[in-house]
Amino acid sequence: MGRLRTLFAPETVAVVGATDREGAVGRAILENLEADFHGDVVPVNPNRDAVLGLECFPDVASAPSVDLSVIVVPPPIVLEAIRESAQAGVENVVVITAGFSETGSDGATRERELRDIAAEYDLNLVGPNSLGIMSTQTGMNATFGPENALEGSVSFMSQSGAFITAVLDWANEQGIGFRDVVSLGNKSVLDETDFVREWGADPETDVVIGYLEGIDRGDEFVDAAREVSDDTPVVLVKSGRTDAGAQAASSHTGAIAGTESAYEAGLEQAGVLRARSVQELFDWARALSGLPAPSSDGVAVVTNAGGPGVLTTDAVGDSTLEMASFTEDTLERFRETMPEEANIYNPIDVIGDADIERFEMALDIALSDPNVGSAVVVSAPTAVLEYDRLAEVVIERREEHDKPVVTSLMGGSRSRAAEDVLREFGIPNYFDPARAVSGLDALARYRAIRETQIDEPDTFDVDRDRARAILETARDRVDNRLGVEAMDLLEAYGIPTPTGEIVDDPADARQVAESIEGNVVLKIVSPDISHKSDIGGVRVGVSDEEVYDAYEDVVAKARNYQPDTTILGVQVQEMLDLEGSTETIIGMNRDPQFGPLLLFGLGGIFVEILEDTSLRVAPIGESEARAMVDEIQAAPLLRGARGRTPADVDSVVESIQRLSQLVTDFPAILELDVNPLVVGPEGVQAIDLRLTVDTENL
Amino acid sequence: MGRLRTLFAPETVAVVGATDREGAVGRAILENLEADFHGDVVPVNPNRDAVLGLECFPDVASAPSVDLSVIVVPPPIVLEAIRESAQAGVENVVVITAGFSETGSDGATRERELRDIAAEYDLNLVGPNSLGIMSTQTGMNATFGPENALEGSVSFMSQSGAFITAVLDWANEQGIGFRDVVSLGNKSVLDETDFVREWGADPETDVVIGYLEGIDRGDEFVDAAREVSDDTPVVLVKSGRTDAGAQAASSHTGAIAGTESAYEAGLEQAGVLRARSVQELFDWARALSGLPAPSSDGVAVVTNAGGPGVLTTDAVGDSTLEMASFTEDTLERFRETMPEEANIYNPIDVIGDADIERFEMALDIALSDPNVGSAVVVSAPTAVLEYDRLAEVVIERREEHDKPVVTSLMGGSRSRAAEDVLREFGIPNYFDPARAVSGLDALARYRAIRETQIDEPDTFDVDRDRARAILETARDRVDNRLGVEAMDLLEAYGIPTPTGEIVDDPADARQVAESIEGNVVLKIVSPDISHKSDIGGVRVGVSDEEVYDAYEDVVAKARNYQPDTTILGVQVQEMLDLEGSTETIIGMNRDPQFGPLLLFGLGGIFVEILEDTSLRVAPIGESEARAMVDEIQAAPLLRGARGRTPADVDSVVESIQRLSQLVTDFPAILELDVNPLVVGPEGVQAIDLRLTVDTENL
């Protein structure tokens, strides 16, 4: 049990601001509680002796021991009401009243005060600006919505109260039940992270679902959801996926949205199944709450109709699942029992004249096959098939084999009764077989999430003091940006860089060049020039003899480009043999919600035009770093596609991990790019670097 | 009216093989016809005098003038029955009987004979192995399915009879109606192309939909559908999209499936809206049959609930549509009429206490805005809102402004009555706003299809005789393959190639090299060696003096690789300055269904690893060729991204058109690849060529 259990299972609920005035929210909540709540309901209102026939108390302190206060008083006296409840020893508070940060600066001030009071008394506070909460176990409907939820095992949170109202109306018709329901409101105190944790600890919650427009503490949410999803699937619609949607979400909640790419990476790392639409949210939730996970990815499709069988097979092909190959033994059993015209290879077509017995036999044989992890039963209506009986048979076989089965008993009114029976036993039925398969797919993807071991970040032996010293040089910069002159930062964290030095004199340049074997590269070092090559600030393949002139040349080019440019010097660098090497990019951007977001991609067009990159929230361990390299589309290039010598991928993986450690150690690094990080068969070399430092936070 | 109108609107239908035996198909069809058909039904059966109380005739010739024969006699006498009908002057035949090509070689022989008879008498023949046909205008249900269709304007064909049964059962419950319904069966005579043409010519058909597992005459289908879709949208599920699905489809219909990429390209060119699932098929059909196309892509979202408004905005972001920006005038009207807390920017949030009047006002103002092409009304249930009245208001405003409006009046039972009313007026309502938007998107995409002008292929002045002569040299090859030795083929069709010659003597090589300015490239020419560079068969940057040795070298390398290799000679070619150039690929593969499929992509990894290619069915005109170049992901590279000099894209476009002409002129070219076609700022050069020729067809 989590610490929020009494919030959902109080014995006594006070409605602070209860009233019998028609149409008032304080009346609606009291009525809703009175209707189904197993515990006691106490109206609180200093101006009344009784409300709706219940004894009314002037304040919470004088009411009998209250576990939860639902506060609906007008905005000016909300804070006082909260404090009064807290002083009376109430730990759980739901603030229905609106008029806080969503309304402007006065409201925002009030919300800060609310947060202070909650912190002072360590309150479990939902809202403000919430529709309320429900918990079907105790019949508690502490909302002002028109419907109570049916009992079920899905716990549901929503950043939109209206969405809850809409969903409940629909779910009650569909026979979909819930465990707990929370309207998050402004999430001033308790937020999605708290409820994911709570429901993860609740044995009666089988699935956590949510509608969110933003996640406030992204990094903590990732940790919490990742842990919870070992036992309990978490399915979310995080809206504002698109640019238009993000703009709408931000005007709705007033929150600054993190970037979609950060949410995508963060939710993936959190083990969250992210639904794109309301339909997906509930299709997945239904499968996850009613069925066991498949032990393998092989799906058997059993149908009496070829066309719908092919449609179902396409849906399996679209999913992470695959069509099962039957064992010889299974095929033999099919041959013995099915008519000659039947197709006994997957999809199994028991053909149009199949009766219940043949369907049952086919499903039984299929589910007995060790290569079959799950099944889809698809049927067109025929004269010889009663859907009600087919439903019973499917339920029996499913339970006997303990493998997930979904159905598409296609049809209209004739499917309804069967659908109701199937639903009772956790089996979702849809007219469109693709939706049935989508539910199975959610089960399989959830199994994969559970099976994924997330390794702890490695801790490399690094020179943290040296790194700090380099970062501190950013204090001298107007814009807090550093470039190649900070390459030692990478060295300090064990990311290899070519031999070289920055000099401010052509003679020194020559001296450095002579100390380096072979020809060298000269680059202008200036915080004002970001595209050095474009202005002629780079000279490649310079021999010792040419160094002096080359030095003068790149400096002249820089002055030419911008007369008052700050020139920090010229970098004289070992010239790498780039033949057989690949340019990659590793970088980091700090996201307001999720923190340091690591990026990996191949250089040039791959990142800039094809946007072929992978992202992770730092810190990450080796397996995630390796996944970053593996999941870009161009990954085969590194592994040696087209006759290339394979690159030293391990060294890229290690560089990403070292970068992860660097940006975790120094929150002051706001963004950082190593571009390119050249990787060849012998390892990596960081050629160029740019970063921005928050010098206030060093 | 198309030539198949009497098939769907006969005055007299004969059921050949009619019987009153319980459970017989011949009885089911007779009963179905008797139930609703406005015309006359004539049972034909030599063994009966009457069937189900109707006078029964021994053959079609003795029956009163028959317009359509539905044949359900056993397989051995089907052909005779068809011939008898034909001889009696019947032009339209539906063959229900199964046991043809779907059952093996005897059946296949019988089907060929059936096709011959149909050709001999010029019959409009549906089937065999068909569930039958329906036409609601005359109440005709000439199928043995359990349900007749409701009246509507959607004409529906299906390669699966069971799919029709399933859909009708469901559609009747949903109130979705049809115009004509055809179970295509084995498509021995009439196929999808015929019905698309027919329904395109039928003013009562608003939308053509279909479930297909294969398209037999892909090229003709593309032409027919393209023409039809100028007036009538065509929406198809073509199953077998995935590898697993294609395998299942081929075992279901016994047809050899064309490749998915050919279907994708062909259906796109045909102007077909391709649905991925049953749900999409009907969601799109509903919108297309009930609503006008939006005149612009701007969508207004009007809602009483922030969260669902954001979800809807995301769905718009996912679609080809965009959120409309309101004019200042519109915003002013909103300011005057909406409460202060309302959001008057799109999505318009009229907030939770909105009554019908406020909703109506907001919708009216939004639809009056010239930037708004369509609208979505999204609502959560509230105490002040009656959905029935909201539905009426939406219908009125929609009709007044004549812009498409879809709805998501979210909820359960309270939405049903409103949904029914909305449906009657062509407005689809869904619980999930994303489905409502998907319907609007189908309307917008259909408008785009109508607006797209497909230009005629240009005819370039080419040397066809020279090309033929080169292709004929393939006769001398065991495998009918040609390589660089056939480069003149490209020259004959005006695709530039570098200066060069194939020689079989080192002295000749030197002579050719001397005639070419600068260094040259030497390449081994052998039908046995496809990766010349890999075996050392290419030498680049060879000076005149080095030519002799280089010649010997590449020949030695080839012999080393394979002692008995056929060596046609050595190509001595002008060396191109590839700096600033990009390698592209143009090619063609002949698809069994669609014919010549043109391919364009960037060379190397872009095609091989990233699969970044575009495809079209030839012949194509300039705009399609240009679209091929524009639609690859890496296209910005050609247009001059990252500071490159833009390539001469026009010359690539022209090369694709010339290739289109070549492969159209010579159906004997089975496949052809120009790889690379190098493109720089000054134009293109084809560097290498491979092709396979069907020498029998030259």
Side-chain angles (χ1 to χ4, degrees), chain B residues 395-408:
Chain B
I395 291 164
E396 285 165 22
R397 291 302 121 196
R398 196 211 82 58
E399 303 204 329
E400 189 192 317
H401 293 278
D402 197 27
K403 293 180 178 179
V405 178
V406 294
T407 61
S408 176

Side-chain angles (χ1 to χ4, degrees), chain A residues 451-471:
Chain A
E451 285 173 355
T452 306
Q453 287 296 326
I454 303 289
D455 47 5
E456 287 297 308
D458 291 318
T459 304
F460 297 93
D461 189 18
V462 297
D463 188 344
R464 203 161 162 162
D465 292 338
R466 190 169 152 214
R468 178 180 305 281
I470 295 163
L471 292 173

